[in-house]
């Protein structure tokens, strides 16, 4: 088998789950290109959310945005 056979495979994008309580909708938001925050918006009302990444953060993967 060729050692480069998996070159086309992508690494999974890091995400966190957000429950947008404004519209009672769950959505994944993904890490931005800079890798310093998770950014996204409510799919119904477009309310934006940004979770910063840094030392002393949390290992929590699911959040409520109010």
């Amino acid at each position: 088998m060729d050692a480069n056979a998996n070159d086309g495979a992508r690494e999974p994008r890091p995400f966190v789950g957000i429950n947008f309580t404004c519209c009672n909708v769950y959505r994944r938001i993904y890490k931005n290109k800079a890798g310093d925050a998770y950014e996204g918006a409510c799919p119904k009302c477009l309310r934006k959310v940004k979770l910063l990444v840094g030392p002393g953060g949390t290992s929590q993967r699911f959040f409520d945005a109010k």
Side-chain angles (χ1 to χ4, degrees), residues 6-51:
N6 288 331
D7 282 347
R10 289 186 176 187
E11 290 291 321
R13 285 182 65 196
F15 70 89
V16 294
I18 299 287
N19 180 34
F20 289 94
T21 58
C22 50
C23 296
N24 195 29
V25 177
Y26 168 83
R27 179 174 223 184
R28 289 180 176 185
I29 61 170
Y30 294 89
K31 207 179 253 191
N32 63 15
K33 287 184 181 184
D36 61 354
Y38 291 87
E39 297 183 78
C42 174
K44 287 189 177 181
C45 70
L46 302 179
R47 183 172 292 185
K48 293 182 181 181
V49 65
K50 182 176 184 177
L51 303 172

